[in-house]
Amino acid sequence: MTPELCDRLRRDMMTACLAVAETHGLTVEGGDLSDIDLRHSFEISFRVGIPQESGEIYSPEKALFEVLAPHFGLEPEDHGRTFRSKDELFRIVAINPNRPKYPISAERVSDGRGFKFPAENVVMYLQRSGA
């Protein structure tokens, strides 16, 4: 497997998923590759659902984030934003109030691996990025 083949497979799978979802009045998001092992395999995930007026699929994680964000010094629209930490790019994906020290969940953009951050650090990283 090569990176080019993995990307071509991802595009073809997304096209197929979109066609199937459309026939049922649904929409598809995602299609991101993760856990890529060029010798054997990769993971790909899609989210299928009923589109909202915006065209997005309802996300309970995003809805919870939007409610809780101000309590952690963030804005509701910070969900999905990216920030840099130690020269790596991360995307904010959730808030878990049951983890008071590390309530912010983010995924590393390069590989989709999940990480937990203190809220004050994420606020600082976002400010540094010119937010």
Side-chain angles (χ1 to χ4, degrees):
M1 297 182 91
T2 66
E4 294 80 17
L5 175 60
C6 292
D7 191 52
R8 196 167 53 247
L9 289 168
R10 180 197 60 77
R11 284 193 315 266
D12 290 349
M13 288 178 188
M14 182 60 140
T15 299
C17 285
L18 286 167
V20 170
E22 188 177 324
T23 64
H24 297 282
L26 302 171
T27 192
V28 177
E29 293 177 346
D32 299 322
L33 298 175
S34 63
D35 294 330
I36 299 171
D37 178 345
L38 296 177
R39 292 171 298 173
H40 305 286
S41 64
F42 62 86
E43 288 186 21
I44 187 167
S45 63
F46 299 98
R47 185 176 181 137
V48 180
I50 299 169
Q52 298 180 325
E53 287 182 27
S54 66
E56 294 180 346
I57 297 172
Y58 174 76
S59 166
E61 296 87 9
K62 182 178 178 184
L64 181 63
F65 182 95
E66 290 172 347
V67 170
L68 294 175
H71 300 287
F72 291 90
L74 296 164
E75 298 295 325
E77 52 275 1
D78 288 336
H79 185 272
R81 288 191 54 204
T82 58
F83 63 88
R84 285 208 171 275
S85 173
K86 298 179 183 175
D87 294 324
E88 294 192 273
L89 191 62
F90 295 88
R91 178 178 297 107
I92 300 170
V93 297
I95 288 180
N96 184 342
N98 296 323
R99 291 191 321 247
K101 282 187 163 185
Y102 302 95
I104 310 302
S105 295
E107 63 184 19
R108 188 167 47 200
V109 172
S110 64
D111 62 5
R113 183 172 172 212
F115 291 84
K116 301 169 194 162
F117 289 89
E120 56 274 8
N121 288 20
V122 173
V123 170
M124 178 186 64
Y125 297 144
L126 290 173
Q127 289 171 346
R128 283 185 186 168
S129 71

